Amino acid sequence: MEINQALLFTYNAKKARALTNLKVLLENPVGIGEHSDILTEAEKWIQEIAEADDCINAVEKYIADVENQNLNELIEKCKKKKVILVQGYL
């Protein structure tokens, strides 16, 4: 598997997890008793989705030709957003 594929799998999984949690929260908020501030919880999952989308877009834009791009710059950007990359690459 190439680096770009592994990164895309990672970010798409992160996005899917956040979308699932947001859907559960929106469809059945009473089922999540430990979260009294539903808006804050929804905002958390929206942020996770946005960060994953940003990284997916960056991978698609900058890693098409890894040899000509600065991969470290992309990794640092994702680290600053606290995005977990594929284990073993950081």
Side-chain angles (χ1 to χ4, degrees):
M1 179 181 298
E2 293 183 23
I3 291 174
N4 63 336
Q5 290 175 322
L7 290 170
L8 288 173
F9 283 138
T10 298
Y11 299 131
N12 280 309
K14 181 181 178 87
K15 181 178 176 179
R17 178 179 180 267
L19 284 167
T20 300
N21 284 322
L22 182 61
K23 181 179 177 182
V24 169
L25 182 70
L26 295 174
E27 290 179 356
N28 193 13
V30 293
I32 307 173
E34 69 271 7
H35 300 295
S36 60
D37 188 350
I38 293 174
L39 290 177
T40 299
E41 190 67 15
E43 184 178 13
K44 170 186 160 185
W45 295 118
I46 293 292
Q47 185 66 34
E48 292 279 332
I49 293 164
E51 288 176 4
D53 276 341
D54 284 347
C55 288
I56 290 166
N57 291 334
V59 168
E60 290 172 346
K61 182 176 180 181
Y62 297 110
I63 303 189
D65 186 7
V66 175
E67 294 175 9
N68 295 326
Q69 300 295 328
N70 186 349
L71 182 57
N72 289 330
E73 184 178 309
L74 173 64
I75 291 171
E76 288 304 315
K77 178 182 176 184
C78 290
K79 278 184 184 178
K80 287 178 185 175
K81 290 188 173 191
K82 298 180 182 173
V83 173
I84 299 170
L85 297 175
V86 177
Q87 290 180 349
Y89 287 100
L90 293 179

